[in-house]
Every structure is written in C-alpha cells, then in structure tokens.
Amino acid sequence: MSVSPLPSHRTRLRPLAAAAAVCLLSFTAFWVAQRLAHVNMLDVMVYRAEAETLRAGDDLYAMRATSANLAMTYPPFAAVLFLPLTVVGVPLMRTLTTAGNLLLVVAMVQLSLQLIRPALARPAARVDLWRSTLWIAAIAVWCEPVWTTLRYGQINLLIAVAVLWDLTRREGSRWAGLGIGLATAVKLTPGLFVVLLFAAGLLIWRRDRALGVRALNPWLRTGLTATGVFLVTTLAMVLALPDASKTFWTRTLFETGRVGHAEETANQSISGVVARLLHTDAPGIWWLAAAVLLGGAAMALAVRAAVRGDRAVAVLVTAFTALMVSPISWSHHWVWCVPLLILLYDRATRAWLVTGAVALAFASFALWWVPHDPGRPELDQNAGQMLLSAVYPLTATAVFAGYAWTLLRARKADGTGATGVTGVTGGPELPRPATGERRPQAVAKE
C-alpha cells in the first residue's frame, strides 16, 4: 500500500504567494484609482491642523481648517495622538496615511478572522490565516466605507483594529482592554463595547458564582482595564489641557451640529434616516425614541450572544448598534462591514446569497446615487431616495432581524436557542486550520 507524500513547505506556500500577489495588485490599483479620483484627504488635513493648533497653544475648539471650515469634534487626547502628523510635509503625510490605512485593512481582516475562527490563530494554521487574510483584504478594500475612509484619511480602521485587538487577546492577557480604552478616549463611541463587557461580564460572574467560581471572568477584566485606561487618559488631558478639556466635556460634546447636518445622505445612523424621513435637520425626540428601542433590543442580542460564548456575534452586533444609535455615523464609519461579511460567509445557511446581498449594499455606493450637493437636497427626498440613502441602517436592521429570527426558530425547535447569524449550518466556510480541528456547528461558534 502506497502512502501519499506530505505536501512540501514550498507547495504549501504557493497559495500564500498567490494571495500576496493578488492583494498587492489590488492595493496598487486602489492607490492609482484614488489618485485618479483626486482625493483630497480632507480629514487628515483637519487632524494635522488640530495638532498644529495644539503645538501653537491656541484654542482647539475655536480652530477651523480646510476650505470646508471644519472644526475639531474629538476629545483633546485626539489632538495629542495626531502630533506625529506635523513632523513631515503634507505630501508625505498623505502618502504615509494611505499606506498606513492599507496596512490597517490587512490587520482588520486578520483580527476579524481570529475573532470568528479562533483556531486560525494557532501556529499550525498560520499559513491558512495569512492566505485568507490577503485574499479578503484584496476584495474588502473596494467597499464604500473603506474607500471613503482612505479618501478622507480617516481613523476608522485604526479605531476598529484597536477594538478587535483587545477582543482577540488570549484569555488572561493583561493588555486586553487597552485598545478599547484608548479608542474611547479618542472617539467616545467605542465606549459601547465597555457596556457589552460589563453587562456580559456581570451575568457570567453571577452564573459562575452560583457554581462556586469567584474569579473575575475575562469580560469583566477587559471592561475594568478599558475603563481604567479611558479614565487615566482623560484625567491626564484634564491636567495637561484643562481649558480644552473643560470646553469639550461641558460644551462641544453636546454640539452635534459641529459635525454636520443630520439629514446628509452620508449620515447613515438612525438620526439621519429619521431626519430625511421627516424632512428636518432636527429629528429630536423621534430619533431618541428609535435609537433607544433599536439600541436596547440589539444590545440584548449582543449580551445574550456573549453569555452563550459567541464572542464574534456579540462584538459585531455591538459595533453596528453603536453606528446606528450615534447622532452622526458617516458612511466611512461603517468599516465594520468587513468583519460582518466574513462572519456571514462563515455562518450563514445560504452563505453566497446572504453574503452577496450584504456585500452589494456596502459596495454599491448606493447612498451617493441621491442628490447631495451643498444646497441640502436631502431635506426633500422622495421615497426611493430615502431607501437608497438608508442602505446601511436598513442592512444592519435586516441582519439583526435575521439573527433574532434564527434564535426564535432554534428555540422552538430544540429549546436551546443555539444558532449562528442567519442560519445554523451550511454554505462555504473559511479554510480549516492544518490541525484538522473541527468547530461544533451549534451552540457557541467561537
């Protein structure tokens, strides 16, 4: 009886080399396309102006930058983070920002894979992890949120990577929580992940205590670390920049109009949808009611997933909830669509159909098909235009509803509520690690 020879190291690396070549080609084409589109990288210019204002000792929140007359909207710590942008000239800064964001696309994809399929993080699966990362990154860079993030030179990918880095640390890591704490000190909205950490952590702690376990679980430890990092960073800014800190926390934080008009098509939050629906730039109580109802229901799903051990679902539901309930969530904030698509491809019953439909929503640029010039035509949208300019919130709501429906269906079927995102089994999956380990197809898919 003959025995098939094991694949050589060179044979195993060929698919990895092919993936690397395709990713490099895609990134190069992306870079050329952005240059041909004459992207202005407006936001990174604002970040640079904020850092220059800080260095000059001027009022951060009185600053206006670029031809769009944009103001600073982040906490004071962000200006400190942006100081390195002033070290180089503007052309080099733009080049480094683009290159850095492309590397962050790769990092985001890899961390997403580790979140969704933890076994891929093992040394034996390293080649599979990198091959999948490069193939997915080559495609993901072309979706609208990523394209627009690089167009403006935004920090969305950095924020997402900081959060994902925390939530993919090995159990017991002393660093878990650092990324979320710093991200919250920069942009506040990642603070919803702290809510998830404490809510899930407390429920798990109560369950463990009934079993005689007294130690803090990883959710609580990560939440405490994130809170500590946020508080230490914020208090440091109060001491170092007292005037700017007072201005932000007592006034600027509540001036949502500084960011932009709620009805703008680029605003893909519930606030934007309600503003366009009511033909007003002040959705007020209607937005608040919708945000509380949908946000509360979605966070209940997230906490439930976390308690049952499905970290990937818990994290992504929380990320999309933060985008939905925020007063302003520009389309480029929705870079979380990348891990969502990976999760759907890995979990959905009809993976190609479901993932393809969601991918179409994020790659179609449909929200830009409606009038959106400075004359504020969004205040007079018709029904069709409203649907197009609500494409991201509607997609997220559909995913939430699909997940809730499968939970209900599974509970009726066997009383356990075990399920995936939009289905239990079936469809193509991510590459299995070389160890041959199989993941259970029910209960916690972590």
Side-chain angles (χ1 to χ4, degrees):
M1 181 177 66
S2 62
V3 178
S4 300
L6 293 173
S8 66
H9 183 65
R10 180 178 299 178
T11 301
R12 291 187 67 228
L13 289 181
R14 284 175 183 168
L16 177 61
V22 170
C23 186
L24 180 61
L25 181 63
S26 176
F27 280 12
T28 301
F30 180 90
W31 195 309
V32 172
Q34 290 243 319
R35 300 287 80 76
L36 292 176
H38 302 292
V39 295
N40 54 21
M41 302 191 73
L42 199 65
D43 287 334
V44 77
M45 295 300 298
V46 177
Y47 300 156
R48 180 187 178 94
E50 293 168 5
E52 289 174 337
T53 301
L54 178 63
R55 291 183 61 176
D58 296 333
D59 187 346
L60 279 173
Y61 297 99
M63 178 217 75
R64 294 294 184 275
T66 75
S67 58
N69 200 36
L70 297 176
M72 181 171 180
T73 58
Y74 297 159
F77 177 62
V80 176
L81 186 69
F82 298 144
L83 282 173
L85 297 176
T86 64
V87 176
V88 298
V90 170
L92 180 57
M93 177 194 71
R94 286 175 167 165
T95 298
L96 293 175
T97 300
T98 300
N101 267 328
L102 288 174
L103 291 175
L104 286 170
V105 172
V106 175
M108 184 183 198
V109 170
Q110 185 169 106
L111 290 171
S112 299
L113 287 168
Q114 292 177 204
L115 175 71
I116 295 161
R117 184 66 62 76
L120 285 172
R122 297 177 179 176
R126 192 66 52 83
V127 173
D128 289 334
L129 175 62
W130 273 106
R131 186 178 71 249
S132 298
T133 296
L134 294 171
W135 275 112
I136 295 171
I139 301 170
V141 73
W142 295 96
C143 67
E144 190 275 338
V146 177
W147 168 278
T148 310
T149 287
L150 274 86
R151 172 189 176 186
Y152 292 132
Q154 260 281 347
I155 61 170
N156 308 303
L157 290 165
L158 180 62
I159 296 293
V161 165
V163 172
L164 287 169
W165 184 87
D166 266 355
L167 297 172
T168 52
R169 294 304 87 208
R170 59 177 176 79
E171 187 171 330
S173 171
R174 68 179 65 182
W175 300 108
L178 175 65
I180 295 174
L182 291 175
T184 306
V186 171
K187 208 168 181 179
L188 297 186
T189 49
L192 193 61
F193 288 99
V194 180
V195 175
L196 170 70
L197 291 167
F198 278 122
L202 287 171
L203 289 175
I204 293 171
W205 175 78
R206 188 175 65 177
R207 182 185 66 189
D208 289 347
R209 193 174 68 163
L211 299 173
V213 179
R214 302 294 179 181
L216 288 179
N217 58 71
W219 293 90
L220 276 180
R221 286 200 302 270
T222 303
L224 289 169
T225 300
T227 302
V229 170
F230 168 75
L231 291 176
V232 168
T233 304
T234 302
L235 289 174
M237 291 300 99
V238 170
L239 295 175
L241 302 169
D243 292 338
S245 296
K246 180 181 178 181
T247 299
F248 177 81
W249 293 107
T250 63
R251 192 180 73 214
T252 306
L253 175 62
F254 307 101
E255 297 174 349
T256 56
R258 288 171 63 91
V259 183
H261 300 296
E263 82 281 358
E264 291 184 45
T265 190
N267 181 16
Q268 291 291 293
S269 71
I270 295 175
S271 171
V273 174
V274 174
R276 292 186 289 270
L277 185 64
L278 299 179
H279 305 291
T280 178
D281 60 356
I285 190 66
W286 297 106
W287 156 67
L288 186 60
V292 169
L293 288 173
L294 189 144
M299 286 306 295
L301 290 175
V303 172
R304 184 187 188 282
V307 171
R308 294 189 61 84
D310 200 335
R311 182 183 295 261
V313 169
V315 169
L316 289 180
V317 171
T318 301
F320 280 90
T321 302
L323 293 168
M324 296 275 277
V325 303
S326 175
I328 299 287
S329 288
W330 301 129
S331 68
H332 51 74
H333 294 163
W334 289 71
V335 292
W336 286 95
C337 68
V338 175
L340 173 65
L341 291 170
I342 298 172
L343 181 68
L344 291 174
Y345 182 83
D346 188 47
R347 303 279 189 91
T349 302
R350 298 175 180 84
W352 282 107
L353 179 62
V354 174
T355 309
V358 175
L360 181 63
F362 287 106
S364 65
F365 288 69
L367 71 158
W368 299 113
W369 299 354
V370 304
H372 55 275
D373 59 53
R376 302 176 68 182
E378 292 97 334
L379 289 172
D380 299 306
Q381 286 186 348
N382 58 38
Q385 291 169 340
M386 286 181 186
L387 286 174
L388 288 176
S389 62
V391 60
Y392 293 175
L394 289 175
T395 301
T397 302
V399 171
F400 290 167
Y403 178 54
W405 179 73
T406 53
L407 287 177
L408 181 61
R409 186 180 63 174
R411 175 174 293 179
K412 288 181 178 179
D414 57 24
T416 65
T419 187
V421 176
T422 56
V424 180
T425 60
E429 294 186 336
L430 298 172
R432 296 289 177 185
T435 57
E437 180 185 57
R438 298 288 295 181
R439 180 191 60 180
Q441 288 297 315
V443 194
K445 298 186 177 181
E446 177 178 8

